[in-house]
């Protein structure tokens, strides 16, 4: 009996320690999320800067997401891709158009949202900007592979995520000259009758405190169980 109790105490102690670690981890995640929100707020409040050149691409990471950028170049509308989207305006797609920058590099620009009736570029031909353009928007990191339960199908030209490398390869762009991120065009870069820019949703769920309190609550329950096991018991007559 004593061995079984000792073994149970060991298991409960390990569970208690594990639950405390999970709670502490969630609190650390909460601090990280707050720092991320503050960082993004600073990016959004800053003035647009020129898009990073090829010499800076390797250094781009999560900390650069949602930086405000400005790109100058020429759109290649014949190479655009439409990625599935559902917005406040309903279902449709994001129009990603390669922009050849003045530096000779390639940048995928999410010009904005179109509904299903305007998925075909021919339905919005008048809004296809030609000649030199300047576009401002937010730096977004690539979304590889596809969406939830749906993988991108380059052969069938069906896209469920904004996968920069896959779209660039499908359109025959030189891989060493394509920026590893894409640009979400803002509303000021929209053209009447064309894709609607400025619809970037910036929302960060923060349930970490709730999760932490849940783990700590479970830890208290385990601690109570340990306390019960450690309570002295009276031996009844005839017991061993």
């Amino acid at each position: 009996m004593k061995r079984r109790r000792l073994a149970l105490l060991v298991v409960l102690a390990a569970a208690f320690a594990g639950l405390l670690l999970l709670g502490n981890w969630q609190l650390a995640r909460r601090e990280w999320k707050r720092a991320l929100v503050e960082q993004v707020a600073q990016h959004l409040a800053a003035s647009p800067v020129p898009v990073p050149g090829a010499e800076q691409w390797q250094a781009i990471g999560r900390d650069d997401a949602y930086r405000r950028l400005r790109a100058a170049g020429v759109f290649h509308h014949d190479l655009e891709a439409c990625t599935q989207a559902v917005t406040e305006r309903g279902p449709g797609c994001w129009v990603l158009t390669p922009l050849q920058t003045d530096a000779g590099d390639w940048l995928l620009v999410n010009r904005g949202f179109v509904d299903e009736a305007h998925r075909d570029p021919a339905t919005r031909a008048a809004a296809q900007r030609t000649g030199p353009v300047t576009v401002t928007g937010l730096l977004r990191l690539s979304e590889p592979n596809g969406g939830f339960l749906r993988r991108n199908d380059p052969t069938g030209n069906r896209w469920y995520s904004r996968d920069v490398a896959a779209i660039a390869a499908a359109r025959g762009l030189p891989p060493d000259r394509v920026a590893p991120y894409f640009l979400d065009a803002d509303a000021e870069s929209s053209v009447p009758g064309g894709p609607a820019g400025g619809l970037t949703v910036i929302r960060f769920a923060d349930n970490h405190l709730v999760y932490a309190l849940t783990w700590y609550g479970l830890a208290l329950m385990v601690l109570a169980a340990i306390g019960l096991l450690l309570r002295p018991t009276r031996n009844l007559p005839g017991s061993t």
Side-chain angles (χ1 to χ4, degrees):
M1 181 67 70
K2 290 183 178 180
R3 289 182 178 179
R4 291 176 60 184
R5 176 182 290 189
L6 180 60
L8 184 55
L9 281 173
V10 171
V11 171
L12 290 175
F16 176 73
L19 291 168
L20 281 182
L21 288 175
L22 286 171
N24 294 341
W25 176 67
Q26 286 294 341
L27 290 182
R29 290 279 296 173
R30 184 169 184 251
E31 292 303 313
W32 169 82
K33 185 65 66 65
R34 287 185 168 186
L36 174 64
V37 171
E38 176 60 27
Q39 182 183 68
V40 170
Q42 293 176 2
H43 288 338
L44 297 176
S47 299
V49 298
V51 292
E55 69 281 357
Q56 301 171 283
W57 290 347
Q58 287 189 343
I60 292 175
R62 294 174 63 178
D63 290 343
D64 296 296
Y66 302 105
R67 286 174 55 195
R68 296 186 67 206
L69 302 179
R70 179 179 63 255
V74 177
F75 279 125
H76 288 253
H77 298 290
D78 57 319
L79 301 177
E80 78 172 36
C82 229
T83 66
Q84 183 176 350
V86 177
T87 72
E88 59 187 16
R89 302 187 179 203
C93 70
W94 301 116
V95 177
L96 268 73
T97 307
L99 177 83
Q100 188 167 25
T101 69
D102 291 345
D105 297 320
W106 292 87
L107 170 67
L108 281 186
V109 177
N110 175 17
R111 296 181 59 211
F113 174 82
V114 295
D115 57 25
E116 293 294 346
H118 296 89
R119 178 183 286 266
D120 186 345
T123 62
R124 42 186 166 80
Q128 304 291 66
R129 303 173 64 182
T130 60
V133 299
T134 299
V135 184
T136 55
L138 303 177
L139 184 154
R140 302 295 307 279
L141 301 180
S142 180
E143 302 166 348
N145 300 325
F148 180 67
L149 298 180
R150 289 188 173 184
R151 297 186 66 83
N152 291 325
D153 178 14
T155 303
N157 197 32
R158 288 186 290 271
W159 303 96
Y160 302 101
S161 73
R162 293 164 289 193
D163 186 334
V164 171
I167 293 174
R171 297 302 185 261
L173 301 180
D176 59 332
R177 300 303 300 272
V178 179
Y181 57 89
F182 65 93
L183 184 71
D184 255 357
D186 56 24
E188 287 72 21
S189 298
S190 300
V191 177
L199 298 180
T200 306
V201 176
I202 303 175
R203 184 184 302 122
F204 300 100
D206 186 359
N207 299 315
H208 300 296
L209 181 59
V210 174
Y211 295 149
L213 292 176
T214 299
W215 293 125
Y216 288 145
L218 291 173
L220 286 176
M221 293 174 64
V222 172
L223 186 62
I226 292 175
L228 289 174
L229 280 176
L230 292 177
R231 288 177 59 184
T233 58
R234 292 188 304 171
N235 290 330
L236 297 175
S239 64
T240 59

